[in-house]
Amino acid sequence: MFILATSAAAILATSLAAGALALLPSQVAADPTQQRASTEDTAIRPFRINVPEQALVDLRRRIEMTRWPEKETVADQSQGVPLATMRELARYWAADYNWRKAEEKLNAYPQFVTNIDGLDIHFIHVRSRHPNALPLVITHGWPGSVLEQIKLIGPLTDPTAHGGMAEEAFDVVIPSMPGYGFSGKPTSTGWGPERMARSWPELMKRLSYTRYVAQGGDWGAFVVDQMGLQAPAGLLAIHTNMPATVPADVDKALLAGGPAPSGLSAEETRAYDQLVRTFKQVDYARLMGSRPQTLYGIADSPVGLAAWLLDHNDADGQPAAAVASALNRTSSATGELTRDEILDNITLYWLTNTGVSASRLYWEYKGGFFNAKGVSIPVAVTVFPGEQYEAPRSWTERAYSKLIYYNRVEKGGHFAAWEQPTIFAQELRAAFRSLR
Protein backbone atom coordinates (compact mmCIF):
# COMPACT_ATOMS: atom_id res chain seq x y z
CA MET A 1 0.00 0.00 0.00
CA PHE A 2 1.25 3.50 -0.80
CA ILE A 3 1.33 6.21 1.84
CA LEU A 4 0.27 9.76 1.08
CA ALA A 5 1.69 12.43 3.35
CA THR A 6 -1.61 14.22 3.88
CA SER A 7 -4.55 12.05 4.92
CA ALA A 8 -8.20 12.85 4.25
CA ALA A 9 -8.72 13.33 7.98
CA ALA A 10 -5.80 15.77 8.08
CA ILE A 11 -7.24 17.68 5.13
CA LEU A 12 -10.53 18.04 6.97
CA ALA A 13 -8.80 19.23 10.12
CA THR A 14 -6.61 21.69 8.19
CA SER A 15 -9.59 23.07 6.29
CA LEU A 16 -11.47 23.71 9.49
CA ALA A 17 -8.48 25.28 11.21
CA ALA A 18 -7.85 27.57 8.24
CA GLY A 19 -11.46 28.60 7.98
CA ALA A 20 -11.77 27.05 4.52
CA LEU A 21 -15.25 25.83 5.39
CA ALA A 22 -17.88 28.42 6.07
CA LEU A 23 -20.08 26.22 8.21
CA LEU A 24 -23.52 27.33 9.22
CA PRO A 25 -24.54 26.65 12.84
CA SER A 26 -26.44 23.58 11.63
CA GLN A 27 -23.42 22.17 9.79
CA VAL A 28 -20.53 20.10 11.08
CA ALA A 29 -17.52 18.53 9.43
CA ALA A 30 -17.81 15.04 7.99
CA ASP A 31 -15.15 13.53 10.28
CA PRO A 32 -16.46 13.88 13.85
CA THR A 33 -13.40 12.46 15.58
CA GLN A 34 -13.60 15.01 18.35
CA GLN A 35 -16.33 14.89 20.98
CA ARG A 36 -18.02 18.26 21.11
CA ALA A 37 -20.08 17.95 24.23
CA SER A 38 -19.69 16.93 27.83
CA THR A 39 -21.43 13.92 29.33
CA GLU A 40 -23.89 16.30 31.00
CA ASP A 41 -24.94 17.87 27.71
CA THR A 42 -28.27 16.41 26.56
CA ALA A 43 -28.87 18.92 23.78
CA ILE A 44 -29.93 17.73 20.34
CA ARG A 45 -27.99 19.62 17.68
CA PRO A 46 -28.90 19.86 13.98
CA PHE A 47 -26.41 18.19 11.66
CA ARG A 48 -25.66 18.62 7.99
CA ILE A 49 -23.02 16.86 5.90
CA ASN A 50 -20.61 19.11 4.05
CA VAL A 51 -17.50 17.21 2.92
CA PRO A 52 -14.63 19.49 1.84
CA GLU A 53 -13.81 19.18 -1.84
CA GLN A 54 -10.16 18.58 -0.91
CA ALA A 55 -11.14 15.30 0.73
CA LEU A 56 -12.79 14.11 -2.49
CA VAL A 57 -9.78 15.15 -4.55
CA ASP A 58 -7.55 13.21 -2.16
CA LEU A 59 -9.81 10.15 -2.46
CA ARG A 60 -9.64 10.12 -6.26
CA ARG A 61 -5.88 10.57 -6.21
CA ARG A 62 -5.41 7.67 -3.82
CA ILE A 63 -7.60 5.40 -5.96
CA GLU A 64 -5.60 6.26 -9.06
CA MET A 65 -2.32 5.56 -7.24
CA THR A 66 -3.35 2.08 -6.12
CA ARG A 67 -0.60 -0.51 -6.39
CA TRP A 68 -2.41 -3.57 -7.66
CA PRO A 69 -1.56 -7.20 -6.90
CA GLU A 70 -1.45 -9.85 -9.58
CA LYS A 71 -4.61 -11.64 -10.70
CA GLU A 72 -5.97 -14.42 -8.51
CA THR A 73 -4.92 -17.94 -9.47
CA VAL A 74 -8.41 -19.42 -9.46
CA ALA A 75 -11.46 -18.91 -11.66
CA ASP A 76 -13.88 -18.37 -8.77
CA GLN A 77 -14.01 -16.05 -5.75
CA SER A 78 -12.48 -18.50 -3.28
CA GLN A 79 -9.39 -16.27 -2.92
CA GLY A 80 -11.42 -13.10 -2.44
CA VAL A 81 -12.86 -10.30 -4.56
CA PRO A 82 -11.52 -10.77 -8.13
CA LEU A 83 -8.96 -8.34 -9.49
CA ALA A 84 -11.11 -7.52 -12.53
CA THR A 85 -14.04 -6.56 -10.30
CA MET A 86 -11.93 -4.26 -8.15
CA ARG A 87 -10.19 -2.65 -11.11
CA GLU A 88 -13.46 -1.79 -12.81
CA LEU A 89 -14.99 -0.55 -9.57
CA ALA A 90 -11.92 1.63 -8.92
CA ARG A 91 -12.00 3.03 -12.45
CA TYR A 92 -15.61 4.12 -12.03
CA TRP A 93 -15.05 5.36 -8.47
CA ALA A 94 -12.21 7.65 -9.48
CA ALA A 95 -13.59 8.88 -12.80
CA ASP A 96 -17.39 8.92 -12.70
CA TYR A 97 -18.75 8.43 -9.19
CA ASN A 98 -20.30 11.52 -7.54
CA TRP A 99 -20.35 11.57 -3.72
CA ARG A 100 -22.35 14.80 -3.73
CA LYS A 101 -25.44 12.86 -4.79
CA ALA A 102 -25.16 10.70 -1.68
CA GLU A 103 -24.59 13.80 0.41
CA GLU A 104 -27.74 15.37 -1.01
CA LYS A 105 -29.65 12.17 -0.39
CA LEU A 106 -28.70 12.16 3.29
CA ASN A 107 -29.14 15.90 3.74
CA ALA A 108 -32.70 15.59 2.43
CA TYR A 109 -33.60 14.14 5.84
CA PRO A 110 -33.45 15.85 9.24
CA GLN A 111 -30.20 14.81 10.92
CA PHE A 112 -29.00 15.50 14.43
CA VAL A 113 -26.24 14.79 16.94
CA THR A 114 -26.61 14.33 20.68
CA ASN A 115 -24.10 13.31 23.33
CA ILE A 116 -24.96 10.09 25.14
CA ASP A 117 -22.69 8.68 27.81
CA GLY A 118 -19.81 10.87 26.66
CA LEU A 119 -20.06 10.12 22.93
CA ASP A 120 -21.66 12.04 20.10
CA ILE A 121 -24.39 10.00 18.42
CA HIS A 122 -25.52 10.97 14.92
CA PHE A 123 -29.05 10.07 13.88
CA ILE A 124 -31.75 10.69 11.30
CA HIS A 125 -35.17 11.54 12.71
CA VAL A 126 -38.25 11.82 10.51
CA ARG A 127 -41.70 12.34 12.04
CA SER A 128 -44.77 11.14 10.17
CA ARG A 129 -47.46 13.59 9.14
CA HIS A 130 -50.02 11.04 10.31
CA PRO A 131 -51.28 11.26 13.91
CA ASN A 132 -50.47 8.50 16.40
CA ALA A 133 -47.52 7.24 14.38
CA LEU A 134 -45.59 4.50 16.20
CA PRO A 135 -41.99 5.56 17.01
CA LEU A 136 -39.40 3.14 15.63
CA VAL A 137 -35.63 3.10 16.17
CA ILE A 138 -33.69 1.15 13.52
CA THR A 139 -30.08 -0.01 13.91
CA HIS A 140 -27.76 -0.87 11.01
CA GLY A 141 -24.82 -3.28 11.05
CA TRP A 142 -21.36 -3.88 9.54
CA PRO A 143 -20.29 -3.14 6.85
CA GLY A 144 -23.27 -0.84 6.71
CA SER A 145 -24.46 2.60 7.75
CA VAL A 146 -27.63 4.66 7.91
CA LEU A 147 -27.61 4.46 4.10
CA GLU A 148 -29.00 0.93 4.49
CA GLN A 149 -32.27 2.20 5.92
CA ILE A 150 -33.05 5.51 4.24
CA LYS A 151 -35.14 3.79 1.56
CA LEU A 152 -37.50 2.76 4.38
CA ILE A 153 -38.20 6.29 5.55
CA GLY A 154 -40.83 7.19 2.94
CA PRO A 155 -42.82 3.93 3.13
CA LEU A 156 -42.76 3.94 6.93
CA THR A 157 -43.49 7.61 7.64
CA ASP A 158 -45.93 8.11 4.75
CA PRO A 159 -47.56 4.71 4.18
CA THR A 160 -50.53 6.10 2.23
CA ALA A 161 -48.13 7.14 -0.53
CA HIS A 162 -46.62 3.66 -0.61
CA GLY A 163 -49.53 1.24 -0.58
CA GLY A 164 -50.22 1.30 3.16
CA MET A 165 -52.74 2.84 5.52
CA ALA A 166 -52.42 5.98 7.64
CA GLU A 167 -52.80 4.00 10.85
CA GLU A 168 -49.66 2.03 9.93
CA ALA A 169 -47.38 5.09 10.05
CA PHE A 170 -44.11 5.26 11.98
CA ASP A 171 -41.90 8.03 13.26
CA VAL A 172 -38.43 6.82 12.24
CA VAL A 173 -35.15 7.22 14.14
CA ILE A 174 -31.98 5.83 12.54
CA PRO A 175 -28.79 6.26 14.59
CA SER A 176 -25.24 5.69 13.39
CA MET A 177 -23.61 3.18 15.71
CA PRO A 178 -20.63 4.43 17.76
CA GLY A 179 -17.50 4.32 15.62
CA TYR A 180 -19.58 4.28 12.45
CA GLY A 181 -20.51 7.03 10.01
CA PHE A 182 -20.94 10.44 11.61
CA SER A 183 -21.17 9.24 15.21
CA GLY A 184 -18.21 9.74 17.51
CA LYS A 185 -15.43 7.18 17.80
CA PRO A 186 -15.05 5.63 21.25
CA THR A 187 -11.70 6.42 22.86
CA SER A 188 -12.05 3.73 25.51
CA THR A 189 -13.45 0.22 25.63
CA GLY A 190 -17.01 -0.76 26.43
CA TRP A 191 -19.06 0.36 23.44
CA GLY A 192 -20.58 -2.96 22.45
CA PRO A 193 -24.19 -3.95 21.68
CA GLU A 194 -25.08 -3.97 25.37
CA ARG A 195 -24.13 -0.32 25.80
CA MET A 196 -25.88 0.70 22.60
CA ALA A 197 -28.96 -1.07 23.93
CA ARG A 198 -28.81 1.22 26.96
CA SER A 199 -28.18 4.31 24.83
CA TRP A 200 -31.03 4.02 22.35
CA PRO A 201 -33.74 4.26 25.06
CA GLU A 202 -32.04 7.44 26.26
CA LEU A 203 -32.13 8.76 22.70
CA MET A 204 -35.84 7.98 22.38
CA LYS A 205 -36.48 9.62 25.75
CA ARG A 206 -34.76 12.81 24.57
CA LEU A 207 -37.04 12.78 21.54
CA SER A 208 -40.01 12.68 23.98
CA TYR A 209 -41.10 9.17 23.04
CA THR A 210 -42.58 7.22 25.95
CA ARG A 211 -43.51 4.14 23.91
CA TYR A 212 -41.68 2.78 20.89
CA VAL A 213 -40.45 -0.29 19.02
CA ALA A 214 -36.99 -1.24 17.78
CA GLN A 215 -35.64 -3.00 14.70
CA GLY A 216 -32.23 -4.37 13.78
CA GLY A 217 -30.31 -6.59 11.38
CA ASP A 218 -26.68 -7.74 11.47
CA TRP A 219 -25.14 -5.94 14.49
CA GLY A 220 -28.45 -4.13 14.85
CA ALA A 221 -29.99 -7.52 15.59
CA PHE A 222 -27.58 -7.91 18.50
CA VAL A 223 -28.53 -4.45 19.75
CA VAL A 224 -32.28 -5.13 19.69
CA ASP A 225 -31.80 -8.51 21.34
CA GLN A 226 -29.91 -6.73 24.12
CA MET A 227 -32.68 -4.14 24.32
CA GLY A 228 -35.10 -7.03 24.68
CA LEU A 229 -33.03 -8.48 27.52
CA GLN A 230 -32.75 -5.12 29.29
CA ALA A 231 -36.47 -4.36 28.67
CA PRO A 232 -36.31 -0.58 29.20
CA ALA A 233 -39.49 1.26 30.04
CA GLY A 234 -41.39 2.22 26.90
CA LEU A 235 -39.99 -0.51 24.63
CA LEU A 236 -43.04 -2.39 23.37
CA ALA A 237 -41.38 -4.97 21.12
CA ILE A 238 -38.47 -5.62 18.79
CA HIS A 239 -38.22 -6.83 15.19
CA THR A 240 -35.18 -8.66 13.87
CA ASN A 241 -34.25 -9.90 10.41
CA MET A 242 -31.25 -11.82 11.74
CA PRO A 243 -32.77 -13.64 14.71
CA ALA A 244 -30.69 -15.42 17.33
CA THR A 245 -32.59 -18.68 17.65
CA VAL A 246 -30.04 -21.51 17.75
CA PRO A 247 -30.73 -23.94 20.64
CA ALA A 248 -27.92 -24.69 23.09
CA ASP A 249 -27.26 -28.24 21.86
CA VAL A 250 -27.11 -27.12 18.23
CA ASP A 251 -24.85 -24.18 19.09
CA LYS A 252 -22.51 -26.52 20.97
CA ALA A 253 -22.29 -28.85 17.98
CA LEU A 254 -21.59 -25.95 15.64
CA LEU A 255 -18.80 -24.56 17.81
CA ALA A 256 -17.25 -28.01 18.13
CA GLY A 257 -17.43 -28.56 14.39
CA GLY A 258 -19.26 -31.83 14.91
CA PRO A 259 -22.28 -33.40 13.26
CA ALA A 260 -25.75 -32.02 13.84
CA PRO A 261 -27.60 -33.29 16.92
CA SER A 262 -30.03 -36.10 16.22
CA GLY A 263 -33.74 -35.45 15.91
CA LEU A 264 -33.62 -32.28 13.84
CA SER A 265 -36.43 -31.72 11.36
CA ALA A 266 -35.66 -31.18 7.69
CA GLU A 267 -36.01 -27.41 8.13
CA GLU A 268 -33.74 -27.45 11.18
CA THR A 269 -31.16 -29.61 9.42
CA ARG A 270 -31.11 -27.16 6.51
CA ALA A 271 -30.54 -24.29 8.96
CA TYR A 272 -27.72 -26.24 10.60
CA ASP A 273 -26.03 -26.79 7.25
CA GLN A 274 -26.38 -23.08 6.45
CA LEU A 275 -24.73 -22.21 9.76
CA VAL A 276 -21.86 -24.62 9.10
CA ARG A 277 -21.26 -22.81 5.80
CA THR A 278 -21.52 -19.40 7.50
CA PHE A 279 -18.98 -20.26 10.18
CA LYS A 280 -16.53 -21.27 7.46
CA GLN A 281 -16.89 -17.86 5.80
CA VAL A 282 -16.35 -15.43 8.67
CA ASP A 283 -12.58 -15.05 8.66
CA TYR A 284 -13.09 -11.29 8.42
CA ALA A 285 -15.04 -11.39 11.70
CA ARG A 286 -12.36 -13.44 13.44
CA LEU A 287 -9.66 -10.94 12.48
CA MET A 288 -11.71 -7.91 13.56
CA GLY A 289 -12.63 -9.75 16.74
CA SER A 290 -9.00 -10.35 17.64
CA ARG A 291 -6.81 -7.73 15.93
CA PRO A 292 -8.87 -4.78 14.65
CA GLN A 293 -6.07 -2.26 15.13
CA THR A 294 -3.91 -4.19 12.66
CA LEU A 295 -6.15 -3.10 9.78
CA TYR A 296 -4.16 0.08 9.03
CA GLY A 297 -4.36 -0.64 5.32
CA ILE A 298 -8.09 0.09 5.18
CA ALA A 299 -7.47 3.52 6.69
CA ASP A 300 -4.77 4.29 4.12
CA SER A 301 -6.05 2.79 0.86
CA PRO A 302 -9.55 3.38 -0.53
CA VAL A 303 -9.31 0.24 -2.69
CA GLY A 304 -8.10 -1.75 0.32
CA LEU A 305 -11.09 -0.49 2.31
CA ALA A 306 -13.50 -1.26 -0.54
CA ALA A 307 -12.25 -4.83 -0.93
CA TRP A 308 -12.47 -5.42 2.83
CA LEU A 309 -16.04 -4.14 3.02
CA LEU A 310 -17.11 -6.03 -0.08
CA ASP A 311 -15.75 -9.46 0.86
CA HIS A 312 -18.59 -10.12 3.28
CA ASN A 313 -19.48 -13.43 1.63
CA ASP A 314 -23.02 -13.88 2.89
CA ALA A 315 -25.35 -16.58 1.66
CA ASP A 316 -26.22 -14.81 -1.58
CA GLY A 317 -22.76 -13.36 -2.10
CA GLN A 318 -23.69 -9.82 -1.10
CA PRO A 319 -22.29 -7.31 -1.43
CA ALA A 320 -19.34 -8.45 -3.61
CA ALA A 321 -21.65 -10.26 -6.01
CA ALA A 322 -23.79 -7.15 -6.20
CA VAL A 323 -20.79 -5.16 -7.37
CA ALA A 324 -20.00 -7.68 -10.07
CA SER A 325 -23.58 -7.61 -11.33
CA ALA A 326 -24.03 -3.88 -10.83
CA LEU A 327 -20.91 -2.53 -12.51
CA ASN A 328 -23.05 -1.10 -15.29
CA ARG A 329 -26.31 -0.78 -13.37
CA THR A 330 -27.11 2.83 -12.61
CA SER A 331 -30.66 2.22 -11.45
CA SER A 332 -32.73 -0.68 -10.21
CA ALA A 333 -36.46 -1.14 -10.51
CA THR A 334 -36.43 -4.34 -8.47
CA GLY A 335 -34.61 -3.06 -5.37
CA GLU A 336 -31.26 -4.79 -5.78
CA LEU A 337 -28.24 -2.70 -4.94
CA THR A 338 -26.73 -0.47 -7.58
CA ARG A 339 -23.10 0.36 -8.18
CA ASP A 340 -23.54 3.89 -6.81
CA GLU A 341 -25.36 2.72 -3.70
CA ILE A 342 -22.51 0.36 -2.88
CA LEU A 343 -19.96 3.12 -3.46
CA ASP A 344 -22.01 5.56 -1.37
CA ASN A 345 -21.57 3.27 1.62
CA ILE A 346 -17.85 2.61 1.01
CA THR A 347 -17.19 6.31 0.45
CA LEU A 348 -18.97 7.16 3.70
CA TYR A 349 -16.57 4.83 5.54
CA TRP A 350 -13.60 6.43 3.78
CA LEU A 351 -14.57 10.06 4.37
CA THR A 352 -15.26 9.47 8.06
CA ASN A 353 -12.17 7.22 8.43
CA THR A 354 -14.23 4.61 10.28
CA GLY A 355 -12.86 1.40 8.77
CA VAL A 356 -10.89 0.56 11.90
CA SER A 357 -13.18 2.15 14.50
CA ALA A 358 -16.13 0.20 13.09
CA SER A 359 -14.10 -3.02 13.17
CA ARG A 360 -13.56 -2.72 16.92
CA LEU A 361 -17.18 -3.66 17.54
CA TYR A 362 -16.21 -7.25 16.78
CA TRP A 363 -13.50 -7.02 19.45
CA GLU A 364 -15.89 -5.49 21.98
CA TYR A 365 -18.52 -8.21 21.77
CA LYS A 366 -17.74 -11.35 23.76
CA GLY A 367 -21.08 -13.17 23.57
CA GLY A 368 -22.46 -15.79 21.20
CA PHE A 369 -23.69 -14.95 17.75
CA PHE A 370 -26.75 -16.93 16.67
CA ASN A 371 -27.48 -18.63 20.00
CA ALA A 372 -30.77 -17.88 21.76
CA LYS A 373 -30.33 -15.13 24.35
CA GLY A 374 -33.51 -15.49 26.43
CA VAL A 375 -35.38 -12.38 25.27
CA SER A 376 -38.75 -12.29 27.01
CA ILE A 377 -40.43 -9.16 25.60
CA PRO A 378 -42.59 -9.35 22.45
CA VAL A 379 -40.54 -10.16 19.35
CA ALA A 380 -41.29 -10.11 15.60
CA VAL A 381 -39.15 -12.00 13.10
CA THR A 382 -38.85 -11.88 9.33
CA VAL A 383 -36.76 -14.55 7.63
CA PHE A 384 -35.13 -13.57 4.34
CA PRO A 385 -33.90 -16.37 2.05
CA GLY A 386 -30.47 -14.84 1.51
CA GLU A 387 -29.67 -14.43 5.20
CA GLN A 388 -26.72 -16.20 6.79
CA TYR A 389 -29.17 -18.83 7.94
CA GLU A 390 -32.94 -19.16 7.67
CA ALA A 391 -34.25 -19.44 11.22
CA PRO A 392 -36.79 -22.28 11.51
CA ARG A 393 -40.07 -21.38 13.14
CA SER A 394 -39.54 -24.13 15.72
CA TRP A 395 -36.27 -22.61 16.91
CA THR A 396 -37.72 -19.09 16.78
CA GLU A 397 -40.66 -19.97 18.99
CA ARG A 398 -38.33 -21.52 21.56
CA ALA A 399 -35.88 -18.61 21.47
CA TYR A 400 -38.49 -15.86 21.77
CA SER A 401 -41.15 -16.82 24.31
CA LYS A 402 -43.38 -13.89 23.27
CA LEU A 403 -43.17 -14.25 19.51
CA ILE A 404 -45.86 -11.99 18.05
CA TYR A 405 -44.97 -12.35 14.37
CA TYR A 406 -43.02 -14.76 12.18
CA ASN A 407 -42.90 -14.68 8.40
CA ARG A 408 -40.69 -16.03 5.63
CA VAL A 409 -40.45 -13.85 2.54
CA GLU A 410 -39.46 -14.89 -0.94
CA LYS A 411 -36.78 -12.33 -1.73
CA GLY A 412 -33.97 -10.49 0.02
CA GLY A 413 -30.65 -11.15 1.65
CA HIS A 414 -28.50 -10.03 4.54
CA PHE A 415 -28.89 -6.35 3.64
CA ALA A 416 -32.63 -6.74 3.31
CA ALA A 417 -33.69 -3.15 4.10
CA TRP A 418 -31.18 -1.88 1.53
CA GLU A 419 -31.94 -4.52 -1.11
CA GLN A 420 -35.71 -4.90 -0.74
CA PRO A 421 -37.11 -1.82 1.02
CA THR A 422 -40.69 -2.36 -0.17
CA ILE A 423 -40.84 -5.88 1.25
CA PHE A 424 -39.06 -4.77 4.40
CA ALA A 425 -41.46 -1.88 5.05
CA GLN A 426 -44.44 -4.19 4.52
CA GLU A 427 -42.95 -6.59 7.04
CA LEU A 428 -42.54 -3.89 9.67
CA ARG A 429 -46.13 -2.74 9.22
CA ALA A 430 -47.37 -6.29 9.67
CA ALA A 431 -44.95 -7.11 12.49
CA PHE A 432 -46.08 -4.30 14.78
CA ARG A 433 -49.72 -4.10 13.76
CA SER A 434 -50.93 -5.78 16.95
CA LEU A 435 -49.26 -3.07 19.07
CA ARG A 436 -51.15 -0.13 17.61
Side-chain angles (χ1 to χ4, degrees):
M1 299 287 180
F2 64 90
I3 300 176
L4 197 63
T6 305
S7 69
I11 287 174
L12 289 170
T14 302
S15 298
L16 286 171
L21 285 179
L23 297 181
L24 298 174
S26 62
Q27 293 177 316
V28 297
D31 186 8
T33 56
Q34 301 298 318
Q35 296 178 17
R36 294 176 297 277
S38 70
T39 56
E40 292 77 25
D41 182 9
T42 61
I44 295 175
R45 310 184 297 280
F47 181 97
R48 186 174 179 82
I49 304 164
N50 187 11
V51 173
E53 185 62 29
Q54 298 98 311
L56 301 178
V57 171
D58 176 66
L59 168 60
R60 289 189 287 269
R61 180 170 60 236
R62 286 171 175 262
I63 296 170
E64 292 167 351
M65 291 176 63
T66 299
R67 184 171 72 171
W68 295 96
E70 64 282 355
K71 184 181 184 296
E72 61 278 0
T73 58
V74 294
D76 55 26
Q77 296 194 30
S78 60
Q79 292 184 354
V81 186
L83 178 63
T85 297
M86 290 308 302
R87 275 192 172 277
E88 174 57 22
L89 183 67
R91 182 207 61 76
Y92 177 80
W93 197 6
D96 300 316
Y97 170 74
N98 185 356
W99 160 257
R100 296 301 182 191
K101 291 182 179 180
E103 196 172 272
E104 291 173 5
K105 190 187 307 181
L106 286 166
N107 284 336
Y109 300 106
Q111 298 174 81
F112 305 89
V113 171
T114 190
N115 189 277
I116 298 178
D117 202 9
L119 196 72
D120 275 352
I121 300 297
H122 161 262
F123 63 98
I124 296 171
H125 181 207
V126 182
R127 294 185 185 272
S128 173
R129 64 185 177 86
H130 297 292
N132 303 316
L134 181 61
L136 166 66
V137 56
I138 309 176
T139 309
H140 64 82
W142 183 94
S145 65
V146 296
L147 285 165
E148 285 185 58
Q149 286 90 14
I150 59 174
K151 294 179 186 177
L152 297 174
I153 294 174
L156 293 178
T157 60
D158 190 11
T160 57
H162 297 85
M165 298 180 291
E167 55 268 29
E168 296 176 321
F170 293 89
D171 284 353
V172 174
V173 180
I174 310 174
S176 295
M177 295 193 299
Y180 287 69
F182 299 107
S183 281
K185 299 172 184 177
T187 57
S188 59
T189 61
W191 274 102
E194 300 88 349
R195 193 167 180 179
M196 289 184 225
R198 295 194 298 271
S199 299
W200 289 182
E202 172 62 23
L203 174 59
M204 298 303 276
K205 179 181 177 181
R206 291 185 191 180
L207 295 174
S208 300
Y209 293 129
T210 57
R211 58 191 302 274
Y212 60 94
V213 292
Q215 198 287 323
D218 194 85
W219 277 112
F222 290 74
V223 173
V224 296
D225 265 355
Q226 291 297 324
M227 292 177 74
L229 290 171
Q230 296 172 18
L235 178 61
L236 304 178
I238 64 172
H239 174 276
T240 173
N241 55 292
M242 196 181 81
T245 71
V246 179
D249 60 333
V250 176
D251 191 53
K252 183 178 180 180
L254 285 165
L255 294 175
S262 60
L264 297 184
S265 68
E267 183 183 33
E268 293 167 346
T269 299
R270 181 168 181 265
Y272 185 88
D273 292 341
Q274 291 172 331
L275 286 164
V276 169
R277 177 207 62 213
T278 291
F279 286 158
K280 290 179 179 178
Q281 298 177 340
V282 291
D283 291 333
Y284 64 90
R286 294 188 182 97
L287 180 56
M288 289 188 289
S290 60
R291 310 289 289 177
Q293 193 64 27
T294 298
L295 297 171
Y296 293 97
I298 66 176
D300 182 64
S301 166
V303 169
L305 174 67
W308 184 254
L309 298 182
L310 291 173
D311 199 14
H312 203 174
N313 206 12
D314 288 317
D316 57 356
Q318 298 283 11
V323 173
S325 63
L327 286 177
N328 297 308
R329 184 195 298 148
T330 58
S331 63
S332 175
T334 56
E336 285 80 4
L337 302 180
T338 67
R339 173 185 56 195
D340 280 6
E341 287 173 334
I342 292 165
L343 282 175
D344 288 345
N345 187 61
I346 296 171
T347 306
L348 176 59
Y349 271 78
W350 175 260
L351 294 172
T352 55
N353 192 18
T354 48
V356 173
S357 60
S359 300
R360 292 194 190 104
L361 180 54
Y362 286 81
W363 185 92
E364 288 286 351
Y365 182 66
K366 307 303 181 185
F369 278 78
F370 300 110
N371 60 308
K373 307 296 193 298
V375 176
S376 59
I377 72 167
V379 177
V381 170
T382 300
V383 177
F384 287 85
E387 188 49 85
Q388 292 179 328
Y389 86 109
E390 295 175 78
R393 184 173 191 123
S394 57
W395 289 359
T396 306
E397 290 174 342
R398 290 165 60 186
Y400 300 115
S401 60
K402 293 183 180 177
L403 186 67
I404 59 172
Y405 181 84
Y406 175 93
N407 190 40
R408 303 174 70 96
V409 296
E410 295 182 356
K411 194 173 186 180
H414 184 68
F415 301 91
W418 205 13
E419 301 163 19
Q420 299 296 334
T422 299
I423 295 174
F424 205 95
Q426 291 170 345
E427 283 298 295
L428 291 181
R429 292 176 198 154
F432 295 126
R433 190 167 289 142
S434 63
L435 302 175
R436 299 283 182 173

